[in-house]
Amino acid sequence: MRSRFCLSLIALSLAAGLGHALPALAESTPPAPPVSAAASPFASLTEAFLDAYWRQNPDYAVGVGYYRYADRLRAPDAQYRAEQLRFGADWLKRFAALDETKLDAGAKTDLALIRAQLEAGRWYLETFKSWQWDPSQYNVAEPIALLLNTEYAPLPERLATVSLRLAQVPAYYAAAQGNIQEPTREHTALAIQQSEGTLSVLSEDLLKQAETAGLTLEARQTLGKNLAAAQEAVRGYIAFLKTLDAKLAQGGARDFRIGKALYEPKFQRDIQAGMSAEQLYQRALEEKERLHAHMDTLADQLWSKYMKDQAKPADRLDKIGQLIKTLSADHVAAEQFFPEIKKQIPVLEAWVRDKKLMELDPSRPLVVRETPEYMRGIAGASISAPGPYDPKANTYYNVTPLDGYDASQAESYLREYNRWILQVLNIHEAVPGHYVQLLYSNKSPSRIKSLFGNGAMVEGWAVYSERMMLESGYGGDTPEMWLMYSKWNLRVVCNSILDYGVHVLGMSEADALKLLTREAFQSETEAKGKWRRVQLTSVQLTSYFTGYAEIYDFREQLKKQQGKDFDLKAFHERFLSFGSAPVSMIKGLMTAQP
Ligand code: ZN
Ligand code: ZN
């Protein structure tokens, strides 16, 4: 889900925004590491480690709501990379010196996550090397936007911090340019697009804000000077990339497919599941077959109701496809897309409460908003959740409006997010999917499990919650809802097939689009969007299916063991209480308890 030293990739993926803290009102002093006198050696070492880690990764720190080092922008040069490697090696050594036999289960798993984080960081720098070939990794917008939009301190203080950051922007992009070697054309195009969005964050509005906030003339002049230099640096980077792209059009670009040699180790590091990527791929192929067979039955049940006396095709994919096509016409109008999503959130919350599925926190409402410009690019909907340093802050549901689409693109998109699937999307993103899970995660007693959380657990929970809600009767338990849900679930399964197929097996664009449109019944717009995403990310698309399968199997196993004593609400609340730890780790912790 997350590249360890790279914030921009977090914004790219539908990664549930663990890295996006948008706290609202907090104390104005930087938080001090809370080390109590009675803290265990492990707890003290962990707090010292975290403060050092944020100092070393100030952008990431701003993302999780830790502002002590917010005025620093590290230039991503060779010296910084060497420092990162030394940092990782040094802390691995310090943690290795602890007596592990004295740690309880919670601390042991925290330690495992810290190790995984540091080892992955090293692997990304030394082996994966996206810092060389992914120009979209370099973007200064997000931390600056967070500092401007988050009231963690009075505005004049935040503007002063931003001004200091801006002064370091030219050195940042100079280092970025120096790093780029044979990038992929796909990441180059994305970097151009997103850097243009960056200019809307580094706009003259900042100077108006400074005037309103009552900054001194001198401070305003400095801000103006730093802003102009930063804008110039971003424009320079865009120009550099455009020239480079014209050259790459003639040849010499890197293939966006990462290949098997990088794929397996990346899968192990990012997903942390109990199987190999190849095993997951095989499992997904089997699941696709199971879903097709189930949908075949549902299609037979629904055929005459919707298709009247139209001849039923012998081919099951044709039959299912025609039925889905007919049902998909039931969708909201383009201008109703955003309001409808907003309207559904309280309905879902009421259902979760009434059916006693899990406790919700009414003091922490979800804010539905249009996706900020600088975050647009891949996902149509995403969640920006506050980090564990400011767990009382707002959670945002970012919905990208359809303004950028022409009429036929919008129609295609709306058919995809039809009456049934739009509800499943809201379950996934909001209630009781990402929004609810991340609120629980931030209340977890383990800060490490919230900070270095596992993407497969986060996505797996959201996907699990879809099926769980339908099993509880949400949506009326109708064959229509189950058919559409199956189509949606097929998407998660095909995400895994697509990702492995493209990056490891060299699947072509034509074959990928065929898989998505014919076997997963996706629209042209959706399939093309997914094709774009698989070119820009790797492994992340498999996290949904892996985590979902692990959670569902675990629940079924407990149900069988506990029989009538099994309590769904208690299971959910306990499962969510460990933060965003890998599913296999949560299983261990839950079954180890008496
Ligand atoms: Zn329509
Ligand atoms: Zn998700």
Side-chain angles (χ1 to χ4, degrees):
M1 165 185 77
R2 296 173 303 146
S3 165
R4 265 61 189 185
F5 296 130
C6 158
L7 248 187
S8 64
L9 264 185
I10 300 175
L12 276 187
S13 59
L14 250 178
L18 278 175
H20 310 154
L22 289 164
L25 286 158
E27 63 273 61
S28 58
T29 44
V35 183
S36 78
S40 70
F42 177 72
S44 314
L45 195 60
T46 299
E47 288 305 328
F49 161 72
L50 282 176
D51 185 65
Y53 188 80
W54 301 135
R55 186 190 160 94
Q56 189 66 21
N57 300 282
D59 284 15
Y60 192 177
V62 169
V64 300
Y66 195 85
Y67 303 107
R68 171 171 289 212
Y69 306 112
D71 59 359
R72 301 177 188 207
L73 175 68
R74 299 297 312 262
D77 55 13
Q79 189 202 326
Y80 182 53
R81 286 191 293 278
E83 232 179 75
Q84 295 283 55
L85 290 175
R86 271 199 309 277
F87 177 90
D90 189 43
W91 279 96
L92 282 170
K93 221 185 283 168
R94 292 176 72 169
F95 279 108
L98 282 177
D99 182 358
E100 242 185 279
T101 59
K102 294 206 172 113
L103 301 180
D104 62 19
K108 266 187 195 146
T109 46
D110 275 3
L111 182 55
L113 287 176
I114 292 171
R115 283 208 180 108
Q117 179 80 5
L118 292 174
E119 276 156 10
R122 180 190 171 99
W123 184 81
Y124 275 101
L125 282 177
E126 290 188 331
T127 308
F128 196 62
K129 291 190 177 175
S130 48
W131 55 270
Q132 284 183 339
W133 51 260
D134 176 7
S136 74
Q137 230 175 253
Y138 305 110
N139 196 321
V140 298
E142 185 153 334
I144 289 176
L146 286 172
L147 293 171
L148 291 171
N149 298 324
T150 309
E151 291 178 29
Y152 70 93
L155 184 58
E157 199 180 304
R158 288 185 282 128
L159 284 167
T161 301
V162 167
S163 184
L164 285 168
R165 242 180 197 270
L166 288 172
Q168 301 163 81
V169 168
Y172 175 95
Y173 282 107
Q177 279 193 33
N179 289 344
I180 305 300
Q181 280 175 41
E182 288 187 16
T184 79
R185 290 204 69 197
E186 294 75 12
H187 291 94
T188 304
L190 179 68
I192 292 169
Q193 186 202 348
Q194 292 192 329
S195 297
E196 275 159 3
T198 298
L199 289 170
S200 72
V201 175
L202 309 187
S203 76
E204 309 304 318
D205 280 357
L206 250 142
L207 299 175
K208 275 184 224 136
Q209 263 184 295
E211 214 177 319
T212 323
L215 257 65
T216 63
L217 180 64
E218 199 194 338
R220 283 191 340 245
Q221 280 169 345
T222 307
L223 178 65
K225 196 181 82 203
N226 292 343
L227 177 65
Q231 288 170 336
E232 194 52 39
V234 176
R235 283 194 207 102
Y237 189 56
I238 294 170
F240 160 77
L241 292 175
K242 284 185 171 164
T243 308
L244 181 61
D245 189 53
K247 219 165 72 192
L248 293 173
Q250 314 302 313
R254 181 189 172 97
D255 187 351
F256 67 85
R257 292 175 177 82
I258 68 170
K260 193 173 172 80
L262 288 176
Y263 196 92
E264 279 290 355
K266 189 172 196 280
F267 181 82
Q268 295 313 320
R269 279 165 180 83
D270 290 359
I271 306 289
Q272 300 174 58
M275 61 182 127
S276 71
E278 194 172 353
Q279 284 168 330
L280 177 80
Y281 175 69
Q282 292 302 335
R283 174 128 186 229
L285 289 176
E286 286 159 21
E287 189 65 14
K288 173 163 68 90
E289 173 51 35
R290 194 189 68 80
L291 282 166
H292 280 164
H294 181 48
M295 293 168 92
D296 191 15
T297 311
L298 293 167
D300 284 337
Q301 282 176 40
L302 290 168
W303 189 266
S304 61
K305 180 174 172 189
Y306 289 93
M307 311 306 281
K308 308 292 176 215
D309 43 13
Q310 214 170 300
K312 200 155 73 173
D315 180 279
R316 66 176 180 178
L317 293 179
D318 287 340
K319 177 175 59 186
I320 298 164
Q322 283 185 26
L323 197 56
I324 286 174
K325 202 173 158 196
T326 302
L327 288 174
S328 298
D330 195 345
H331 63 74
V332 296
E335 66 277 10
Q336 283 305 309
F337 186 69
F338 185 84
E340 178 62 25
I341 287 177
K342 217 170 165 169
K343 211 170 76 190
Q344 281 182 20
I345 306 304
V347 178
L348 288 165
E349 288 173 330
W351 182 273
V352 169
R353 282 205 187 88
D354 293 351
K355 296 286 164 182
K356 300 193 170 46
L357 298 175
M358 68 201 72
E359 221 47 67
L360 298 176
D361 185 348
S363 69
R364 316 284 313 285
L366 181 66
V367 182
V368 185
R369 69 171 178 187
E370 293 191 355
T371 311
E373 204 70 47
Y374 72 91
M375 283 172 65
R376 294 184 192 183
I378 297 180
S382 67
I383 289 287
S384 293
Y389 287 105
D390 195 4
K392 291 202 166 54
N394 284 337
T395 304
Y396 293 95
Y397 187 178
N398 306 307
V399 179
T400 306
L402 306 182
D403 313 349
Y405 288 1
D406 66 30
S408 83
Q409 285 171 328
E411 172 66 14
S412 173
Y413 190 87
L414 290 165
R415 290 179 61 91
E416 189 76 21
Y417 291 94
N418 57 55
R419 173 176 157 194
W420 295 278
I421 292 197
L422 193 56
Q423 298 179 62
V424 185
L425 175 75
N426 289 327
I427 293 173
H428 178 104
E429 297 295 338
V431 181
H434 291 319
Y435 155 65
V436 171
Q437 187 265 320
L438 291 165
L439 281 188
Y440 270 91
S441 185
N442 283 342
K443 290 177 186 168
S444 153
S446 163
R447 199 170 254 179
I448 291 295
K449 289 187 188 73
S450 297
L451 289 166
F452 299 149
N454 176 269
M457 183 276 175
V458 173
E459 288 303 347
W461 170 264
V463 176
Y464 162 77
S465 73
E466 300 161 4
R467 182 162 174 187
M468 184 273 289
M469 285 290 277
L470 262 62
E471 286 175 346
S472 78
Y474 186 82
D477 200 20
T478 61
E480 287 90 340
M481 190 54 154
W482 280 107
L483 181 72
M484 281 301 185
Y485 162 77
S486 299
K487 181 201 141 162
W488 174 265
N489 193 235
L490 201 48
R491 172 157 115 159
V492 162
V493 173
C494 287
N495 278 348
S496 291
I497 298 171
L498 176 75
D499 201 65
Y500 191 85
V502 168
H503 284 288
V504 177
L505 306 175
M507 185 188 274
S508 68
E509 177 176 0
D511 285 347
L513 293 178
K514 195 173 155 204
L515 169 77
L516 299 174
T517 54
R518 178 159 166 80
E519 295 200 71
F521 313 103
Q522 290 178 15
S523 69
E524 204 68 18
T525 311
E526 190 74 9
K528 283 189 174 148
K530 195 54 64 69
W531 172 250
R532 175 155 192 246
R533 188 160 154 200
V534 78
Q535 293 174 91
L536 295 170
T537 68
S538 50
V539 176
Q540 198 268 335
L541 280 168
T542 67
S543 59
Y544 306 78
F545 179 59
T546 319
Y548 155 65
E550 286 182 295
I551 297 170
Y552 198 85
D553 292 352
F554 178 45
R555 188 194 77 180
E556 292 305 290
Q557 176 202 322
L558 286 182
K559 254 175 153 172
K560 214 185 263 173
Q561 282 168 6
Q562 299 174 3
K564 62 173 174 34
D565 292 335
F566 179 81
D567 180 340
L568 189 62
K569 182 169 184 279
F571 168 75
H572 289 152
E573 289 170 0
R574 183 127 178 81
F575 185 86
L576 293 175
S577 73
F578 296 99
S580 310
V583 177
S584 57
M585 201 179 272
I586 297 177
K587 271 171 75 171
L589 289 166
M590 279 177 76
T591 46
Q593 306 299 321

